[in-house]
Each structure stands twice: as structure tokens, then as C-alpha cells.
């Protein structure tokens, strides 16, 4: 619960620069109960399917916002787009991995180089 409060506070501060569409997704997910907030965000960002499975193309799309080399995008997808035993574990891994790769952080920040 504490991490969700921190996530929401940092996300609100970072929404001014929003190439990933976090602002609109966060507004849609704002009223979700704490346990469903991350899942709602992941679905809204097309990181997971409506069934809660990883959407590899969605992960690659977000990686492509900050990385221009296709080999690096593929590597990020290989490491981050991994289905786990539960949807909650999958979503937690996705956000953690994408943050470690400087693609999408829980604070809503992206890497300094932004490519289209």
C-alpha cells in the first residue's frame, strides 16, 4: 500500500512530460482499488492483455520511445516481457524491469533520449 501511495504521488509530479500516455491512463485507473491499480495501468499502457498476459509488442513500443536500436528493444522485451505465475507478479516484474532499463519508471519518467 505504501508503494502505491508513493507511486501515485511521483506519477502526478511527472506527468508533464508524457510520451507514454501515462496521464490519461492514470486518470482512468485513479479510482481502482490499490490491488488493481498497477494492473489497470499495465493494461492501459498495453503492457499486458485484458487477460493479464504480457503484450510483447506493447513492451517494444514503449522501449522504442527511448531506444532507437532494434537489438536493444528486442533485448529489453526478452528480459521484461515475461509471464509469471500470477498476473500480479507479471505486472510487478514488468514495471520493475522497465524502470531498471530506463524505459518507463514508476515515477512516470523516461530516459533523456526520446526517439520516435
Amino acid at each position: 500500500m505504501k508503494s502505491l501511495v508513493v507511486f501515485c504521488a511521483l506519477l502526478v509530479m511527472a506527468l508533464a512530460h508524457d510520451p507514454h500516455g501515462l496521464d490519461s491512463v492514470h486518470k482512468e485507473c485513479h479510482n481502482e482499488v490499490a490491488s488493481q491499480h498497477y494492473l489497470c495501468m499495465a493494461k492501459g499502457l498495453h503492457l499486458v492483455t485484458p487477460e493479464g498476459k504480457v503484450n510483447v509488442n506493447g513492451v517494444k513500443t514503449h522501449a522504442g520511445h527511448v531506444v532507437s536500436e532494434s537489438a536493444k528493444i528486442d533485448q529489453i522485451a526478452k528480459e521484461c516481457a515475461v509471464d509469471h505465475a500470477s498476473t500480479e507478479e507479471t505486472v510487478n516484474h514488468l514495471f520493475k524491469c522497465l524502470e531498471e532499463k530506463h524505459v518507463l519508471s514508476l515515477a512516470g519518467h523516461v530516459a533523456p533520449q526520446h526517439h520516435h
Side-chain angles (χ1 to χ4, degrees):
M1 180 67 179
K2 182 179 176 183
S3 63
L4 180 62
V5 171
V6 171
F7 166 72
C8 290
L10 292 173
L11 184 61
V12 167
M13 293 172 13
L15 291 176
H17 182 248
D18 190 21
H20 297 280
L22 286 169
D23 186 30
S24 61
V25 173
H26 188 255
K27 286 178 183 174
E28 291 174 25
C29 298
H30 183 71
N31 291 325
E32 292 289 330
V33 294
S35 63
Q36 295 297 308
H37 189 80
Y38 287 123
L39 176 59
C40 180
M41 292 290 294
K43 285 180 180 179
L45 294 169
H46 305 287
L47 295 172
V48 297
T49 66
E51 296 79 28
K53 299 296 182 188
V54 171
N55 176 4
V56 176
N57 289 331
V59 173
K60 286 183 176 184
T61 296
H62 286 286
H65 285 302
V66 295
V67 177
S68 58
E69 300 85 19
S70 62
K72 286 186 180 181
I73 292 170
D74 289 341
Q75 184 62 34
I76 290 169
K78 182 179 177 182
E79 293 179 31
C80 297
V82 179
D83 283 311
H84 288 265
S86 72
T87 301
E88 182 178 352
E89 289 175 70
T90 298
V91 169
N92 288 340
H93 171 78
L94 269 169
F95 280 123
K96 182 179 178 187
C97 185
L98 291 173
E99 183 171 18
E100 288 172 357
K101 303 296 180 194
H102 306 286
V103 171
L104 180 73
S105 82
L106 297 181
H109 296 270
V110 296
Q113 302 99 3
H114 183 248
H115 304 281
H116 280 284

